[in-house]
Amino acid sequence: MDVLSSETVRELASAHGGIRVSLYMPTKRFSPDAVFENATRLKNLLKEARAELIARAVRPASADEMLKDVHALADDRQFWLGARDGLALFIDGGTRAFRLPVAFEESVYVGERFRVRPLLAAPRADQRFYVLSLSLKRPRLLLGGPDGLRELTVEEMPEGLQDALRWDDFEKRSLQFHTRTAAAPGGRRPAVFHGSGEPDPKEEIARYFRGIDRVLVEHLDERTPVVLAAVDYLVPLYREVSGLKTLASEAVTGSPDEMADTELHARALAIAERVFDREKRAALERVVEQWTSPKVVTDPLQLLEAASEHRVDTLFVATDAELWGAWRNGGPVPEVHPVQQPGDEDLLDVASVLTLRSNGAVHVLAADEMPHQEPAIAILRY
């Protein structure tokens, strides 16, 4: 099973030439009827894919050979036991399959390029984040991704509040200190000085948090977001002392010691995804600010031309937008058709692929999220 990463998306986008099949479908997670329903849905899509291949002059025997691995997958019960919300399959000389937490709309696409636009809405394995599960008894550092959390071992990190303070008599003697000298003449005892009483719990906690933070600042990279999980009164105390540059502004509140890792992952992932969306939100703000600038392009043909010339920095495309046409023989202007014709490609998909191939960013939005309800918008590099 392939792992979806940003690099994988670019690899799929870069493939061009020959005949390629892209299949998307929603899937049911494991239940008594899920295996049968998922397998039946995939087999129906394979019939559609076979018909489209034959319509493109692929011999029936060659179409069957091309799709045989996916037919075997459809009958593989073990494969369906790991089903999630959606399945994406990419077929050329081999087959790449992705079980993902996205309920894709059912579709079959046959062409010279893979259709990657629906894939852009899926979380990627390289979108990682840390979770600092913080309590006075036991701090934990976990590495998170779309699929779950994995606890990391950090040897230098204090094991708890008492461990962090064990080297100091502060918590044991209530800020008392004594001076001992030889007995004064006449047998009088030397003076004994006492502190002001009980230690300040807030200062003790701050010292404990500084010890944790010092280790994390030294070991964690400065690109991966850190999501804090702690009871609500500890969150501001940690923020006061933290030097972590990637500490998320939101936190998972509640006792992490009493929280299942599945719940902790779900809540931290939601925060991390909002952090990952910052780039998209910042680009949307640029669109609004520069709407009348020549660097913002909405005309599909101009946009496609800019993408082919590697000039698109960021592309926004509406989820359901389509622009059918053909770019024949490398001609300067694509043919655009009001409805799909044999051999047509979705030119907005082509623009997405070309943008990804030149290391641009592509964001897929719902139609009502698109500025001015445009189907596609590009921010140009120059």
Side-chain angles (χ1 to χ4, degrees):
M1 183 58 50
D2 285 307
V3 175
L4 184 65
S5 67
S6 298
E7 183 58 33
T8 304
V9 172
R10 288 192 175 90
E11 287 175 9
L12 292 168
S14 297
H16 183 242
I19 295 291
R20 303 175 190 277
V21 180
S22 308
L23 299 178
Y24 291 92
M25 58 176 275
T27 52
K28 286 189 173 182
R29 297 187 182 226
F30 182 70
S31 68
D33 299 323
V35 172
F36 176 77
E37 291 183 27
N38 290 336
T40 300
R41 187 187 294 271
L42 179 54
K43 289 177 181 178
N44 289 336
L45 286 178
L46 286 170
K47 290 178 183 177
E48 187 178 338
R50 184 179 188 273
E52 290 199 26
L53 286 168
I54 293 171
R56 286 178 172 261
V58 176
R59 291 181 302 163
S62 297
D64 292 338
E65 177 68 20
M66 189 174 183
L67 301 175
K68 71 175 184 179
D69 289 345
V70 185
H71 275 288
L73 209 60
D75 292 323
D76 185 349
R77 179 176 176 81
Q78 286 298 121
F79 172 76
W80 294 118
L81 291 179
R84 302 182 72 186
D85 300 313
L87 175 66
L89 292 156
F90 302 93
I91 308 155
D92 47 13
T95 300
R96 304 189 75 170
F98 301 91
R99 293 175 295 200
L100 297 165
V102 176
F104 298 113
E105 288 191 15
E106 199 173 284
S107 66
V108 175
Y109 182 78
V110 178
E112 294 184 358
R113 298 179 176 88
F114 288 128
R115 187 168 202 179
V116 297
R117 200 194 331 163
L119 205 59
L120 300 176
R124 300 166 202 169
D126 52 331
Q127 290 180 322
R128 302 189 306 167
F129 58 94
Y130 293 111
V131 176
L132 175 56
S133 174
L134 197 59
S135 75
L136 302 185
K137 294 181 180 178
R138 184 173 69 110
R140 293 194 299 156
L141 181 68
L142 305 104
L143 181 64
D147 295 326
L149 298 172
R150 175 169 61 88
E151 187 165 353
L152 302 176
T153 300
V154 186
E155 294 181 359
E156 299 91 340
M157 194 157 71
E159 295 179 3
L161 176 61
Q162 294 306 313
D163 177 66
L165 303 177
R166 72 185 186 280
W167 57 270
D168 195 285
D169 287 337
F170 179 78
E171 75 278 14
K172 295 179 181 179
R173 299 190 178 185
S174 300
L175 292 177
Q176 293 179 2
F177 63 93
H178 300 264
T179 60
R180 298 184 179 273
T181 62
R188 289 175 297 168
R189 299 297 300 171
V192 178
F193 298 92
H194 296 271
S196 59
E198 292 299 317
D200 180 356
K202 183 177 178 181
E203 179 54 32
E204 285 191 327
I205 293 170
R207 289 174 54 207
Y208 166 50
F209 285 172
R210 287 190 193 99
I212 293 172
D213 196 72
R214 187 163 49 245
V215 174
L216 297 183
V217 168
E218 181 180 345
H219 286 82
L220 302 188
D221 65 76
E222 296 185 356
R223 296 179 302 276
T224 304
V226 180
V227 178
L228 180 62
V231 293
D232 53 4
Y233 78 91
L234 292 180
V235 173
L237 296 181
Y238 185 80
R239 291 194 189 282
E240 285 180 12
V241 303
S242 180
L244 289 170
K245 295 180 180 179
T246 57
L247 189 63
S249 59
E250 297 179 73
V252 176
T253 55
S255 173
D257 292 342
E258 299 176 4
M259 197 179 301
D261 279 358
T262 51
E263 180 186 354
L264 180 60
H265 172 252
R267 294 178 62 184
L269 178 61
I271 293 172
E273 286 177 339
R274 288 191 282 275
V275 174
F276 296 139
D277 276 348
R278 283 179 185 164
E279 179 186 348
K280 178 174 69 178
R281 293 195 299 269
L284 278 172
E285 290 175 4
R286 286 171 58 199
V287 168
V288 174
E289 292 169 0
Q290 303 177 25
W291 185 252
T292 59
S293 164
K295 283 193 174 182
V296 175
V297 174
T298 58
D299 178 84
L301 295 184
Q302 292 181 26
L303 185 152
L304 195 59
E305 178 184 8
S308 70
E309 296 172 351
H310 314 293
R311 293 192 291 119
V312 176
D313 175 79
T314 306
L315 176 66
F316 292 96
V317 186
T319 306
D320 56 356
E322 293 179 337
L323 182 69
W324 295 106
W327 209 346
R328 303 188 190 282
N329 300 320
V333 180
E335 299 175 11
V336 178
H337 305 137
V339 294
Q340 184 178 6
Q341 297 183 11
D344 274 2
E345 295 182 283
D346 184 342
L347 297 177
L348 296 181
D349 266 13
V350 174
S352 300
V353 164
L354 293 175
T355 300
L356 289 169
R357 285 169 61 181
S358 60
N359 293 318
V362 181
H363 301 292
V364 180
L365 302 178
D368 59 1
E369 294 180 299
M370 293 290 290
H372 300 272
Q373 284 69 58
E374 292 285 350
I377 303 169
I379 301 175
L380 304 186
R381 293 185 169 118
Y382 59 90

